[in-house]
Amino acid sequence: MPETQPQPQPRPQPTSSTPVRVRRTVHFGAGPEWSLSQVGATLAATGGVAVFLASLFLSTGGFDAIWWALVLLPLVTMTWAGSAAPLAYWGLLLFGWFILTPAGSFSWWSLPAAAGCVVGHAATALSASAPPAGSFAAPTARRWLRHTAIAFAAAVPVAVLAGLLAGRSLGLVPAAYVIGLGGVAVGLWMVRTSPPVGRP
């Protein structure tokens, strides 16, 4: 009788020891799912607005309580992060700084206000770079943090120069306002059109 050949046994497949990462999302009513990364970016934007308004409050000695309602706008408009709404929103906040502070005055509270502006706008732009349920990789978050720190560092020498020139009637106050607003507009436009994305 012919001998039967033993059938080869299937090789066991190696099991992966890497745990599967479950992405957690949250719902706000009947709206879309939001990842914790997106919620964190929105809270960072809200914190930036709160720091800006607190700096404005301390710089001017107080303002109408209705201005504090602006701190809630990042939470209400989180679905519009990729639109022009955040630009108009921060334009309103910066306009408020110039109309509420005395003309030609300088306050060192402008530095934390600049930090709040940079953080708030960068967080909104980062949120717009991913869908609501998407999350951000750690290298991407670190890159955005580095760009935000560089943007704030540029405000420090400007504040020092403004502090040195404070109280001197050089006739540059209107021109400084125009140049400052123009620089802020260009900087925000560059962040919106060329955000720091991850390298392949």
Side-chain angles (χ1 to χ4, degrees):
M1 295 182 62
E3 296 182 1
T4 59
Q5 298 292 331
Q7 297 295 325
Q9 298 295 324
R11 301 178 62 180
Q13 297 294 328
T15 59
S16 175
S17 59
T18 304
V20 178
R21 183 180 178 183
V22 179
R23 180 180 298 173
R24 296 182 180 179
T25 58
V26 293
H27 279 280
F28 299 103
E33 292 184 348
W34 291 91
S35 67
L36 297 183
S37 297
Q38 288 283 14
V39 173
T42 302
L43 292 178
T46 305
V49 176
V51 170
F52 182 92
L53 290 175
S55 302
L56 178 59
F57 183 87
L58 295 170
S59 175
T60 60
F63 49 70
D64 196 288
I66 192 63
W67 281 89
W68 288 108
L70 293 174
V71 77
L72 300 176
L73 276 183
L75 300 175
V76 178
T77 61
M78 58 190 299
T79 56
W80 301 344
S83 68
L87 285 176
Y89 174 58
W90 277 105
L92 173 64
L93 289 174
L94 292 172
F95 179 72
W97 182 278
F98 289 117
I99 66 172
L100 293 177
T101 53
S105 66
F106 173 76
S107 172
W108 288 106
W109 287 110
S110 61
L111 272 180
C117 179
V118 170
V119 170
H121 191 80
T124 305
L126 176 61
S127 176
S129 66
S135 57
F136 316 114
T140 302
R142 286 194 298 267
R143 190 169 296 111
W144 275 81
L145 183 62
R146 186 167 61 250
H147 281 261
T148 303
I150 293 173
F152 171 70
V156 176
V158 174
V160 172
L161 179 60
L164 293 175
L165 297 178
R168 301 184 183 183
S169 55
L170 301 177
L172 298 177
V173 174
Y177 281 170
V178 173
I179 294 172
L181 284 176
V184 170
V186 170
L188 296 181
W189 177 80
M190 291 178 63
V191 171
R192 299 292 293 181
T193 55
S194 301
V197 296
R199 297 187 181 91

